[in-house]
Amino acid sequence: MTIKLIVPGMACSACANNITNAVKAVDANAIVDADPQTKFVNVDSQVSETTIKEALIAAGYPPS
């Protein structure tokens, strides 16, 4: 399942890396594409969208 999110707080590649790590903490097999320029995060995961959003919020990057 692909989840498309907008993360306004993602400002740089380090932010994108932190977002990727947060998602991989709940699904090690997830494929994450985080683009700081567009603020889009695409996640291909078997974990629910709610779980992904909670992981991002916990990491300090709440999706809008």
Side-chain angles (χ1 to χ4, degrees):
M1 158 177 65
T2 300
I3 302 164
K4 297 178 186 286
L5 302 168
I6 297 174
V7 182
M10 178 173 41
C12 62
S13 61
C15 296
N17 193 38
N18 290 338
I19 288 168
T20 299
N21 291 338
V23 172
K24 293 223 178 237
V26 294
D27 181 359
N29 296 320
I31 299 170
V32 183
D33 178 26
D35 185 344
Q37 291 184 337
T38 63
K39 312 290 188 202
F40 283 110
V41 177
N42 293 320
V43 179
D44 189 4
S45 173
Q46 298 305 311
V47 176
S48 73
E49 183 172 344
T50 301
T51 302
I52 298 295
K53 286 181 176 180
E54 287 171 353
L56 294 178
I57 291 166
Y61 298 97
S64 60

